[in-house]
Amino acid sequence: MTDQLQAAARPGVKAAPLGPVALTTLLFGAFLPMLSFFILNVALPAIGSDLHASSGELQLVVGSYGIANATLLVVGGRLGDGLGRKRLFLIGLTGFTIMSLICAIAPTIGVLLAARVVQGATAAAMTPQVLASISALLTGEQRARAMAMFGVAGGAASALGQILGGVLVEANVFDLGWRSVFLVNVPIGVLAIAAAFRLLPETKADRAQRVDLVGATLLALALVLLLLPLTEGRPLGWPLWTWICLAATIPAVAVLGLHQHRSERSGQDPLIPPTVLRLRAMRIGLLLAVAFFTTFGGFMFVFALATQGEAHMSPLEGGLSLLPMAVGFLITSVYGPRLQARYGAGLILRGWIIQAVGYALLAVVALTLWPHVDPWRLAIPMLVAGFGAGLVMVPLIGVVLSQVPPAQAGLGSGILLTSQQTCLALGAATVGTAYLSLAGSSWGQGKALAAVALTITAISLLMTPITHQLRSRQLPV
């Protein structure tokens, strides 16, 4: 889902075969990065205790990965176009596996943070090659089925990550504790590397686009200026440097925008093409993506802290509390493509409404039963919220791109995926900071969780008329 996903195979050239095992191996490039993002949340309390990390540092453990990943996704895809997608996939997968091992043995929070940054960067080299290779190697119904499987892999990883994390932390195999949530990637990665080296065909784009390193650097700078003070400001008491960084975000974004306009006017390949952002469907799609992924990433972060805090759940119980949400996600991941063909953007509209109901029910439970909650009492709200979230997340990119001219669909997909990773990190910073501030006051964790849930409810309902605008205009493809 990056700008390199434009049709890669030359017209009239028969696509190379991509067997089931090779496709499964390729899909690990979508599954492992998403798994690594969400499996970590349930282990955060244990990491904080073991490495003596502050709440701000724990937010950075989540956010640093997302910043590096979002900044370099388009860069990784363009490198794959020019150097070979199999080559970049192997480089990214190998680096991701090594960084997972380093995260697992990290002796300090500083080492863990550094490894998470590099892990996010290696994921950015790997993930773009998945759909780019599918586009190059498959055609027709096979390609459509593989694209749907990509969505299933991402949805399954998002939903199952925290459950698996809870099981691993609770099992404490070989006394590894939280370290097992990183170590689990290593054997999977090694097997995937061997299979990819042997089975994946090599492909390249006919015309590789130049890598906009200046744009990537400016984007990284803007993200750091925004997210670093948001995560570190509250525990440090909002010192002067946090306000200076937040103020500097505005000129940094302005310089990035100016550079992108100049690059496009001069015939170069900007990181975020302004002409694509001017498309009505893209603007609406970006707004929906920002609303969904910021709230979703933030909720996943705070839910783990709340359930293992005043609710006194174990990591396993906290993970099992998300099992109904995982079930809802998996159902929509499997049937989402079929429903999307029938309802289009109307599916997303229904998803926002169902999600709003689920989070409203969660707020009621948090306000009336807290802290005496358990996985059973949270089951119905989490199932409804997960089902609604899946109906929004699974079809979002496909529905938006169906309303974008085909020549710009590849660029649009890159922008949407970059916004996804950016907003997951932004959610941990913004929603996490708001929750921690409320939880540390007279509100307590139960009311703070209810406030987060009700905020997501309100945002979900606000997105319904915006989604209807997307639905009202379908461009031919």
Side-chain angles (χ1 to χ4, degrees), residues 45-397:
I47 293 174
S49 176
D50 188 30
L51 299 184
H52 309 291
S54 67
S55 58
E57 288 171 327
L58 293 180
Q59 286 176 280
L60 281 178
V61 172
V62 177
S64 60
Y65 175 90
I67 293 172
N69 191 244
T71 304
L72 297 173
L73 270 170
V74 176
V75 174
R78 289 182 179 174
L79 287 174
D81 279 351
L83 301 177
R85 299 182 181 108
K86 174 181 177 178
R87 178 180 300 177
L88 259 292
F89 183 83
L90 283 169
I91 290 173
L93 182 56
T94 301
F96 185 89
T97 304
I98 293 172
M99 286 303 109
S100 295
L101 178 60
I102 293 176
C103 287
I105 62 176
T108 65
I109 190 65
V111 174
L112 179 59
L113 285 171
R116 284 287 284 173
V117 171
V118 182
Q119 190 183 38
T122 56
M126 170 174 56
T127 305
Q129 318 314 325
V130 179
L131 286 183
S133 296
I134 290 173
S135 294
L137 296 170
L138 298 176
T139 57
E141 185 179 343
Q142 288 182 322
R143 179 187 292 179
R145 189 181 302 116
M147 295 284 190
M149 291 176 66
F150 179 91
V152 172
S158 303
L160 296 176
Q162 293 194 169
I163 299 172
L164 179 59
V167 171
L168 290 173
V169 173
E170 185 79 7
N172 197 24
V173 179
F174 302 122
D175 202 31
L176 289 170
W178 61 266
R179 299 179 187 275
S180 59
V181 304
F182 293 108
L183 203 58
V184 70
N185 293 330
V186 177
I188 298 174
V190 170
L191 291 175
I193 291 168
F197 184 81
R198 180 180 178 86
L199 299 174
L200 288 185
E202 182 63 279
T203 63
K204 294 183 181 180
D206 289 338
R207 186 189 73 85
Q209 294 179 312
R210 293 178 58 185
V211 177
D212 184 8
L213 292 179
V214 175
T217 302
L218 289 173
L219 176 60
L221 175 63
L223 290 175
V224 171
L225 287 173
L226 175 64
L227 296 180
L228 183 61
L230 286 177
T231 54
E232 294 299 305
R234 186 199 61 82
L236 294 178
W238 298 103
L240 179 61
W241 70 264
T242 61
W243 297 107
I244 293 175
C245 286
L246 287 173
T249 303
I250 297 175
V253 172
V255 172
L256 172 62
L258 181 63
H259 171 74
Q260 299 301 282
H261 277 284
R262 286 180 174 176
S263 296
E264 192 169 51
R265 283 200 303 267
S266 63
Q268 300 176 17
D269 300 312
L271 188 74
I272 307 171
T275 53
V276 178
L277 293 179
R278 285 195 287 269
L279 295 171
R280 178 175 177 271
M282 277 300 304
R283 294 197 304 271
I284 296 173
L286 278 173
L287 181 57
L288 298 179
V290 169
F292 177 78
F293 290 110
T294 301
T295 54
F296 183 71
F299 174 76
M300 288 297 193
F301 176 81
V302 305
F303 186 80
L305 297 182
T307 53
Q308 294 183 56
E310 289 178 355
H312 300 296
M313 290 189 190
S314 67
L316 177 59
E317 289 174 322
L320 289 177
S321 296
L322 287 163
L323 180 58
M325 177 172 273
V327 171
F329 251 106
L330 289 175
I331 292 173
T332 53
S333 294
V334 173
Y335 294 101
R338 187 183 308 171
L339 294 172
Q340 178 184 333
R342 179 175 179 181
Y343 295 106
L347 185 64
I348 302 175
L349 188 68
R350 291 166 172 82
W352 285 119
I353 296 172
I354 295 172
Q355 173 175 278
V357 172
Y359 282 111
L361 291 173
L362 176 63
V364 171
V365 171
L367 289 172
T368 58
L369 298 178
W370 196 268
H372 307 292
V373 294
D374 54 41
W376 287 108
R377 291 174 176 174
L378 293 169
I380 292 178
M382 298 303 289
L383 176 63
V384 176
F387 187 71
L391 290 178
V392 175
M393 176 180 165
V394 172
L396 177 59
I397 293 178

